[in-house]
Amino acid sequence: MRIAKVLLAAGQSSRFNGCKLIANVGNNKSMIARAVEVLQQLDASPVYIVSGAWHSEITQALKHCNNIEIIHNLHWRQGLGKSIALAANHLKHSGDWDGILFMLADQVELETCDIQLLVTRFQKTPTRWCANYGKRLGVPAIFPYDDFDLLTTLTTDKGAQHLLRGSGDIVNSILINQASTDIDTVEQLKRYASKIGT
């Protein structure tokens, strides 16, 4: 079963006052490079990165990475939904995929083993799967091929939230507390760095 791995990284990082995705998150590794590595360790398929506001910076930060494809979202200001739609449309026409896995580049506490939990469950039951943060559902999430057309229509800043939280379709979830941590500000990054001892 083939699952496309998509890293969503098109946002402006407005609360960070700069490109947070090139910030060091330990081991002299940028946030975006760490996220790519987490997904690469799942399997040998490529990692698709949807860039946007900081396309040049992300491209530079990943210049030494192999087996990746950067999809430039020129309309990133339209929100996360546009990035998801762009990726879904690209993958719909570029391979025999059974599903799409979406992850946010700033989910710095996620490890490959967390993503593997979702993949394993999806392989057994190929429906929508996502992380349960304890209070809500969200990414990382996997959508089956049957959702590809629907994903290509997304336009809102809320991404695919309504497909995970508000639809009448079956959505399976796994408790992944690490998914609740993301970095939006310099202060949050400092707290994270202090926590991991960098």
Side-chain angles (χ1 to χ4, degrees):
M1 186 169 285
R2 301 188 70 230
I3 302 171
K5 301 170 297 190
V6 176
L7 197 58
L8 299 168
Q12 189 176 7
S13 310
S14 57
R15 294 172 59 194
F16 197 84
N17 296 319
C19 181
K20 66 182 178 182
L21 298 179
I22 63 172
N24 181 9
V25 290
N27 298 318
N28 199 31
K29 194 171 296 180
S30 67
M31 192 181 297
I32 187 72
R34 180 196 181 279
V36 167
E37 185 176 281
V38 165
L39 291 180
Q40 284 184 328
Q41 290 174 357
L42 276 174
D43 58 37
S45 67
V47 174
Y48 297 89
I49 301 105
V50 183
S51 66
W54 302 100
H55 174 73
S56 296
E57 289 79 1
I58 287 172
T59 300
Q60 178 68 19
L62 297 177
K63 66 180 181 179
H64 298 301
C65 291
N66 298 316
N67 204 24
I68 66 171
E69 182 176 340
I70 299 176
I71 303 169
H72 189 188
N73 178 7
L74 297 173
H75 305 288
W76 57 268
R77 289 181 180 84
Q78 295 182 25
L80 188 60
K82 190 65 176 179
S83 289
I84 292 173
L86 185 66
N89 188 64
H90 179 80
L91 291 164
K92 180 182 174 183
H93 299 99
S94 65
D96 186 20
W97 301 106
D98 298 294
I100 304 180
L101 163 69
F102 291 102
M103 174 179 150
L104 295 174
D106 63 357
Q107 292 182 296
V108 293
E109 291 193 347
L110 283 175
E111 300 289 349
T112 304
C113 59
D114 300 315
I115 309 299
Q116 185 63 58
L117 285 173
L118 285 171
V119 169
T120 300
R121 299 291 181 87
F122 178 84
Q123 289 170 335
K124 292 179 180 178
T125 309
T127 57
R128 294 175 191 171
W129 282 89
C130 68
N132 183 335
Y133 301 0
K135 294 182 179 179
R136 61 188 177 91
L137 304 179
V139 288
I142 305 177
F143 293 88
Y145 181 79
D146 288 347
D147 280 334
F148 278 32
D149 284 339
L150 181 58
L151 292 171
T152 64
T153 68
L154 297 179
T155 57
T156 71
D157 191 43
K158 299 297 183 182
Q161 286 182 10
H162 68 287
L163 300 182
L164 299 176
R165 305 174 191 172
S167 74
D169 295 312
I170 295 174
V171 179
N172 299 288
S173 65
I174 303 174
L175 183 63
I176 305 178
N177 289 321
Q178 297 89 328
S180 64
T181 300
D182 57 25
I183 303 296
D184 290 320
T185 66
V186 173
E187 285 305 314
Q188 287 174 339
L189 179 61
K190 288 179 180 177
R191 287 197 294 270
Y192 172 73
S194 176
K195 179 179 178 180
I196 64 173
T198 61

